[in-house]
Every structure is written in structure tokens, then in C-alpha cells.
Amino acid sequence: MFDFLNPLLGRHPEKIQANVEIYTWQTCPYCIRAKMLLWWKGVKFTEYKIDGDATARNAMAERANGKRTLPQIFINNQHVGGCDELYKLDTQAQLDSLLNQPATA
């Protein structure tokens, strides 16, 4: 609706090609914070809400090299970590280049 504001705000969602996945709990403040950054950048991501689902959490941990904290974020099937790591990538100007890479099959 307000897409005309994107260039003024430094957002370029049209460049985002990556497949982004995030494992969350609904009330987790770090999950909310990570999703807000992705939303701000215009990323369309797949969210796996695993509240109270031990099987899903175990599957996430296996995929995330044993990490069980939330959120766990994957860009093009590459594990990038949690909220802090996502913000660190953004601060170091590395997040946009990851998001602009074409999605892997």
C-alpha cells in the first residue's frame, strides 16, 4: 500500500530473492525483533511457529547444528543463527547481500 515510500526509507524489497525461514515462538521477544527487521527490509519469509512442539524443536535443533534457542534463521538453507546474529549481519552490511542472492533449489 505504501510501497512508494520504500526508496525513501532505503528499502528495496524488489531485490530480495533469497528463501528465508525462521523458527519462532509466538511470544518470544527475540523472535519478534528478528521478524521486525526482516519485515522492515521487505523480506517475505516462511515462519515455523513451534510453540510447545518438542518434535518440531528437535528438528529445528538438528538443522541448526544443535542450537535450541529461538529464533533460528536460515537464508537459502544456510543457518545464520538467531536474532543477535541477524542484527550483526545487518550492522556489518552483510545481510542485504545474503538476501539479494537467488534462492537455492
Side-chain angles (χ1 to χ4, degrees):
M1 178 160 84
F2 295 105
D3 291 341
F4 69 93
L5 290 174
N6 284 337
L8 296 172
L9 298 171
R11 295 175 54 181
H12 300 284
E14 71 281 355
K15 293 181 180 179
I16 296 172
Q17 302 177 54
N19 177 38
V20 179
E21 302 168 277
I22 181 170
Y23 289 83
T24 66
W25 274 9
Q26 192 168 6
T27 58
C28 164
Y30 295 103
C31 300
I32 294 166
R33 188 168 181 247
K35 290 188 299 183
M36 289 299 294
L37 177 58
L38 293 172
W39 171 84
W40 176 256
K41 291 191 166 286
V43 177
K44 290 179 174 67
F45 55 87
T46 302
E47 180 178 11
Y48 304 108
K49 297 178 184 177
I50 63 168
D51 299 66
D53 186 342
T55 303
R57 188 161 195 170
N58 289 336
M60 175 203 73
E62 184 176 317
R63 191 173 176 204
N65 304 315
K67 302 243 191 257
R68 299 185 58 81
T69 58
L70 292 163
Q72 290 301 319
I73 303 159
F74 297 82
I75 299 175
N76 286 337
N77 211 29
Q78 175 188 346
H79 181 238
V80 297
C83 181
D84 290 343
E85 290 81 9
L86 185 69
Y87 273 84
K88 184 175 181 181
L89 285 171
D90 190 44
T91 301
Q92 295 174 341
Q94 297 175 3
L95 181 57
D96 289 341
S97 65
L98 284 175
L99 295 173
N100 293 341
Q101 292 178 8
T104 55

